[in-house]
Amino acid sequence: MSENVKIVRLDDYQLAYEVYGDGDTNILCFHGNSRSAEDFKFLARPNRKVISIHLFLHQYSTFSAHRIEDGSVHLDDVEKLLRKILENEKVEQFHWCAYSQGGLFSLSLFPLFAAHVKSFYLIAPDGLNNNSFYSRTQHQRWAQKLFKRWVKKPHELENVIKFLVKIKVLHPKMIEFIEFYTSDTKVLKMAHDTWKGFRNIRPDYQKIKETLDNFPDIRFNLIIGQFDKIITVKSAQRFLKKIGKDDRLLIIPHGHNVFKPEIQKELFYILEMK
């Protein structure tokens, strides 16, 4: 285990995080599915302390297997664990940055921590639409059985996606996205387990709207890749309209994966954290 890794516990939960840099400026980060807390290491500077969370089922962040089946990963438990981290690191005020699946947790937790937040940056976040096909099928038994089958037979999933692309239901970019998961059974199983296990983590859009209205000093921005076919510009626009923040969208000329050296340099200057 890296010397940067620290752990907090609550019942059967174990939530790991890494700390990079030091200083009075604190940045809390949540990474995406199948990625790592190390994604945000590039934000650290001598005067900046980056606290980057390992999402559950990634690296050292774990819980009992039954929580995947019964969906008993609850927001109030995650809140308690996060408060432990902030207490351990002696953090009162912080900037918040989240990517992809980390955005689902961050959007859900944000109203509970807003009094401590200086800025809130979402990069291609999950959780923009609780009524999407992805979200609705998380609670459907037929979908759960089908996904479980595809973990054992990933070629079937590839064929389904290729067919949907062929009949123009999905964008061709989705083939590349799915092949990333189906090329590694461990990665595909993680996608299944997080999809199923996190099904009761849901952002409350009305609370988010009220929170941003009540804390107007929080710098809030949603960053989307112009060529992202996973979290699209249109989905971001619909979400921002829902919470009354139409002007908080920043479109960058990239796809979904923004954690590449040349893009990180661009992100560093976009994410204004002082």
Side-chain angles (χ1 to χ4, degrees):
M1 184 182 296
S2 165
E3 62 180 13
N4 289 320
V5 177
K6 300 184 180 184
I7 289 173
V8 291
R9 294 179 174 85
L10 175 70
D11 300 327
D12 60 302
Y13 291 101
Q14 175 174 293
L15 187 61
Y17 65 100
E18 302 204 20
V19 177
Y20 309 108
D22 198 5
D24 296 330
T25 298
N26 299 291
I27 306 172
L28 178 69
C29 302
F30 282 67
H31 67 79
N33 188 280
S34 300
R35 301 207 54 95
S36 167
E38 293 183 3
D39 278 347
F40 291 97
K41 191 174 182 178
F42 76 98
L43 290 175
R45 290 293 185 276
N47 62 335
R48 283 179 163 194
K49 181 177 182 179
V50 174
I51 302 165
S52 194
I53 310 296
H54 283 291
L55 291 187
F56 291 117
L57 303 178
H58 294 72
Q59 297 287 332
Y60 314 103
S61 292
T62 62
F63 47 64
S64 297
H66 74 84
R67 293 190 184 277
I68 297 172
E69 296 304 316
D70 59 28
S72 57
V73 178
H74 295 303
L75 192 64
D76 55 349
D77 292 331
V78 184
E79 177 194 356
K80 290 172 185 175
L81 287 162
L82 185 53
R83 291 195 186 280
K84 282 190 175 188
I85 291 174
L86 297 176
E87 182 180 352
N88 288 353
E89 299 302 321
K90 298 179 174 56
V91 172
E92 288 293 330
Q93 299 289 316
F94 60 90
H95 301 274
W96 201 333
C97 185
Y99 169 70
S100 198
Q101 193 170 72
L104 171 68
F105 281 87
S106 300
L107 279 167
S108 302
L109 290 162
F110 171 64
L112 303 171
F113 291 88
H116 305 279
V117 178
K118 298 177 72 174
S119 68
F120 189 34
Y121 291 94
L122 297 166
I123 307 170
D126 284 351
L128 299 184
N129 182 5
N130 287 338
N131 293 314
S132 67
F133 180 78
Y134 174 91
S135 297
R136 286 187 284 108
T137 53
Q138 285 177 297
H139 293 271
Q140 302 297 320
R141 289 191 177 278
W142 65 266
Q144 292 174 9
K145 289 180 179 179
L146 192 57
F147 201 161
K148 190 173 183 179
R149 173 188 172 90
W150 284 338
V151 170
K152 297 177 180 178
K153 299 183 177 183
H155 64 281
E156 288 188 1
L157 175 57
E158 286 183 6
N159 290 337
V160 169
I161 297 301
K162 287 177 180 177
F163 173 74
L164 294 175
V165 168
K166 186 176 181 179
I167 63 174
K168 299 183 178 180
V169 172
L170 295 177
H171 192 278
K173 282 280 187 181
M174 287 299 296
I175 294 178
E176 181 183 338
F177 178 73
I178 290 299
E179 285 178 345
F180 167 77
Y181 287 95
T182 56
S183 63
D184 187 326
T185 54
K186 289 183 179 179
V187 172
L188 186 58
K189 185 178 186 305
M190 182 188 292
H192 165 270
D193 291 350
T194 56
W195 171 79
K196 190 175 182 181
F198 301 163
R199 62 188 181 273
N200 288 317
I201 301 294
R202 286 285 182 271
D204 185 324
Y205 304 128
Q206 184 58 35
K207 282 186 179 179
I208 293 170
K209 182 181 186 306
E210 291 172 359
T211 301
L212 288 171
D213 289 342
N214 291 334
F215 293 90
D217 291 338
I218 294 176
R219 296 195 304 276
F220 169 69
N221 285 99
L222 203 164
I223 302 164
I224 297 289
Q226 180 181 355
F227 310 112
D228 192 338
K229 301 304 176 184
I230 312 306
I231 309 297
T232 65
V233 171
K234 285 186 177 179
S235 67
Q237 290 170 333
R238 285 193 292 267
F239 168 76
L240 291 173
K241 185 175 182 180
K242 199 180 310 182
I243 65 169
K245 301 296 177 185
D246 305 65
D247 61 335
R248 304 301 176 87
L249 179 62
L250 176 60
I251 301 172
I252 57 178
H254 305 292
H256 188 68
N257 180 13
V258 297
F259 290 96
K260 300 175 181 179
E262 65 275 17
I263 304 177
Q264 286 179 341
K265 291 179 182 178
E266 184 179 343
L267 281 177
F268 183 86
Y269 292 104
I270 290 172
L271 303 174
E272 184 184 350
M273 299 174 180
K274 298 178 181 178

